[in-house]
Amino acid sequence: MATGNNAIGTLVPVPGIRMSAVSAGVRYQNRLDLVLFELAEGTRTAGVFTRNAFCAAPVVLARKHLQASAGAVRYLLVNTGNANAGTGDQGMIDARHCCQALADAADVELTRVLPFSTGVIGERLPAEKIAAATPSALAALQDDQWLAAAKGIMTTDTRPKAVSAVVTHNGQNISLTGITKGAGMIKPNMATMLAFVATDADIEQDTLQALLMSAVEQSFNRITVDGDTSTNDCCVVSASGKSGIKVDKSDAGLYDAFSRALHELILDLAKLIIRDAEGAKKFVTVDVRGGATTGECLQVAYAIAESPLVKTALSASDPNWGRILAAVGRAGVDNLDVSRIDLYLDDVCIVKKGGLAPDYTEAKGQAVMNQEDICLRIELARGDVNEQVWTADLSEEYVRINASYRS
Amino acid sequence: MATGNNAIGTLVPVPGIRMSAVSAGVRYQNRLDLVLFELAEGTRTAGVFTRNAFCAAPVVLARKHLQASAGAVRYLLVNTGNANAGTGDQGMIDARHCCQALADAADVELTRVLPFSTGVIGERLPAEKIAAATPSALAALQDDQWLAAAKGIMTTDTRPKAVSAVVTHNGQNISLTGITKGAGMIKPNMATMLAFVATDADIEQDTLQALLMSAVEQSFNRITVDGDTSTNDCCVVSASGKSGIKVDKSDAGLYDAFSRALHELILDLAKLIIRDAEGAKKFVTVDVRGGATTGECLQVAYAIAESPLVKTALSASDPNWGRILAAVGRAGVDNLDVSRIDLYLDDVCIVKKGGLAPDYTEAKGQAVMNQEDICLRIELARGDVNEQVWTADLSEEYVRINASYRS
């Protein structure tokens, strides 16, 4: 199950970035499960990683290598089928072994390879299989394999997720293309379950890291499927510089245009995860407006977005506003005056000043609930801060998937 | 679906307390939906109420009447089928109307009647139907109708929930009997979705309130089905004094014995809710040990108990310890050293110092997971505080129930 249409737009190659997807047999045979990105010499890479205290060995190692190489990364090595999480010291040895095999084959320093893993937690990574597949992954590198790479990082995803954007500056183009994966265990905290974005803009390391963090904060850090933060979340952006166009604050117009394009691309990727949420039939925007602080807006938004009762009502297309109010009421906002709160389903006002809106009818609410895309808007009337969170419904299929898939 | 056996033990009458259950036709015909408790003159009543900011009209009124009567309550009037929540000013008028009808028929002051409602949120309470049924409820009062009352307060519950206890003191008995209801929208905050406990002990109002709050904190406030705090949670205890046995701190032995009995009775009621959780096939104790503070133990316990991924794994009897560790890791405990953590399924050690325990086998874990009652024990090795939380699994049936029942 998934929402929205299945089409992927044109994916533009990013000069300086090549990729491949091959089968290494990590967990299943004849399945694309190893994706390799090659970043041209001179490329700068920034990254954000899960804040889960039980972060996986590849996350620890990728963070370490990113720092040791000062962002001068040459390869991103991604496997599915095994998360290499909860694997202790052996997990670190296995992650390093994969990186070393690639570093040797490609003749680069170990710290210029970042490892990423996703899949089952708590089982030993078959590092030998991955190491054995690296030569074929290197041999298959092309600049037009974004879609194959998007397919190669899928686990319970039902479809690949990829987006491109182009920023035009003085008649020249900057290209951006990104892919992501994720469908469950989704409540990213500083990044989500694997996203790789590349551009040929020329950007300093610190600027790139700042742009990434700002974009992630308003996108991957605003989505939730089930409130479960993964042990393996990573989002990296690589800038090859091959366009020859320098992006920095000295040209504020270009900087803003690029920042906006990166932000929108990453937000599009984040929304694609929600559209493919396990068992999802609805794409839901929770729009909390008029809060006093970002914190209280997010408290309310997540109380709604993660309420099993709200999510099951959404699954049933039931305009059950009582459950939404109950979630707002338990969100923990200090001195919440419920008699000031309005609630809208899209543009239909269902609750006015804490009670049923006089002109609301069940037919109006039902019409919105029957849609695939729904916006729940809550007006708190406490201040002028607005925040949005995106989520999906909770269906029997979600339970079926997660009661059968060992992840 | 429910866990544990269905049997209710002997329910002892409590001198001074009478009750009845009748059909008022609140939402369905020919269904026990109105329960009345009569408390003898001299009975003292204490109560705790939901902290949901959107609390229902009857909660507001019950709290107000309890205060106005200084605990000298004579009647508890409970309806199912309609929660009278999210009903604004009209909801207050309707709740008062029901209380007034009973007060008139029984010739007591209005403030000596406490109203309680549970059922669908956001629909107007049919106060006339309830008022019309009060004379028959009064006429049916008996001291041995605890089971009927337990049945009369059920909504999505699959079975009535009632427990008795007797404290013997110098050859004389103090009786305690309590009933509760609740199966979904369960994460009580100061109390749960309706619990009524009575005793014939003679206890001062302040002492009774303190005993209730202490018992609730370690019982109803330690259970979660879905993390959704209800708008209508209430737990009250009434002490008729008819045993003639004074319970206060001047007799520390008796005070402790009574306190323990009340605590155990209320904990038993809370656990009965988890055993009847919507769609539940498992009764799960999350036992977090060795924390530095109660707060961090509860953070970890609730992160596990409310994780959809842990709960679906439990539903599938899957010893998926990676999901449990992932939940611990995202619980938000400061400076958590994952390399010190041990995890047990009952007495089977599955994780030792953050990694898979050397002598763990899937067969051992599976054997525990196949049980109906499971204890997940997490040793944090940070201090000497221990906390327990009780929860259930998340099944497809939970989703089915909540995608079809408008509550």
Side-chain angles (χ1 to χ4, degrees), chain A residues 51-54 86 121-122 185 226-229 231 307-309 312-313 316 318-323 325-330 336 338 341 354-356 362 394-396 398-400 402-403 405-407, chain B residues 51-54 86 121-122 185 226-229 231 307-309 312-313 316 318-323 325-330 336 338 341 354-356 362 394-396 398-400 402-403 405-407:
Chain A
R51 283 192 176 162
N52 193 309
F54 265 104
I121 298 178
M185 199 178 258
D226 43 24
D228 277 307
T229 302
T231 50
S307 159
L309 291 173
T312 48
D318 179 4
N320 192 325
W321 56 277
R323 292 186 185 174
L325 290 193
V328 174
R330 72 167 164 85
L336 183 67
V338 299
I341 290 177
L356 191 62
E362 189 84 359
L394 172 60
S395 66
E396 292 176 56
Y398 174 91
V399 176
R400 247 190 320 274
N402 284 296
Y405 171 74
R406 170 70 75 96
S407 66
Chain B
R51 283 191 176 163
N52 192 310
F54 266 104
I121 297 177
M185 199 178 256
D226 42 24
D228 276 306
T229 302
T231 50
S307 159
L309 291 173
T312 48
D318 178 3
N320 192 325
W321 56 277
R323 292 185 185 174
L325 289 193
V328 174
R330 71 168 166 85
L336 184 68
V338 300
I341 290 176
L356 191 62
E362 190 83 0
L394 171 60
S395 67
E396 292 177 55
Y398 174 92
V399 177
R400 250 190 318 275
N402 284 296
Y405 172 73
R406 170 72 75 98
S407 67

Side-chain angles (χ1 to χ4, degrees), chain A residues 160-183:
Chain A
K161 302 171 183 67
V163 181
S164 278
V166 173
V167 177
T168 302
H169 178 67
N170 294 341
Q172 282 186 293
N173 286 341
I174 295 175
S175 302
L176 299 95
T177 297
I179 62 174
T180 194
K181 63 89 44 184

Side-chain angles (χ1 to χ4, degrees), chain B residues 261-283:
Chain B
L262 180 67
H263 187 293
E264 280 171 19
L265 183 141
I266 289 184
L267 182 57
D268 284 347
L269 289 175
K271 288 181 177 175
L272 285 175
I273 287 182
I274 295 303
R275 289 211 174 273
D276 197 22
E278 288 167 350
K281 293 175 293 188
K282 304 282 182 185
F283 177 86

Side-chain angles (χ1 to χ4, degrees), chain A residues 103-170:
Chain A
D104 290 346
D107 195 20
V108 298
E109 289 161 64
L110 175 65
T111 56
R112 302 186 74 185
V113 179
L114 304 190
F116 302 88
S117 297
T118 176
V120 65
I121 298 178
E123 294 187 7
R124 192 177 161 190
L125 184 74
E128 279 308 332
K129 290 182 183 175
I130 293 171
T134 50
S136 63
L138 278 166
L141 289 167
Q142 302 281 351
D143 69 356
D144 61 355
Q145 294 299 299
W146 280 104
L147 185 58
K151 289 177 179 165
I153 61 173
M154 288 166 61
T155 55
T156 58
D157 309 66
T158 68
R159 53 201 194 191
K161 302 171 183 67
V163 181
S164 278
V166 173
V167 177
T168 302
H169 178 67
N170 294 341

Side-chain angles (χ1 to χ4, degrees), chain B residues 128-214:
Chain B
E128 279 308 332
K129 291 183 183 175
I130 293 171
T134 50
S136 63
L138 279 165
L141 289 167
Q142 303 281 352
D143 68 357
D144 61 355
Q145 294 299 300
W146 280 104
L147 185 57
K151 288 177 180 166
I153 61 172
M154 289 167 58
T155 55
T156 59
D157 309 65
T158 68
R159 54 201 193 192
K161 304 171 182 66
V163 181
S164 278
V166 173
V167 176
T168 302
H169 177 67
N170 294 342
Q172 283 188 290
N173 285 342
I174 296 175
S175 303
L176 299 96
T177 297
I179 63 173
T180 194
K181 62 92 41 185
M185 199 178 256
I186 297 292
K187 184 184 182 177
N189 184 351
M190 285 316 291
T192 193
M193 190 78 171
L194 303 194
F196 303 98
V197 179
T199 176
D200 56 357
D202 178 9
I203 313 181
E204 291 299 324
Q205 182 69 23
D206 291 352
T207 306
L208 191 61
Q209 183 71 34
L211 282 168
L212 175 64
M213 288 174 70
S214 159

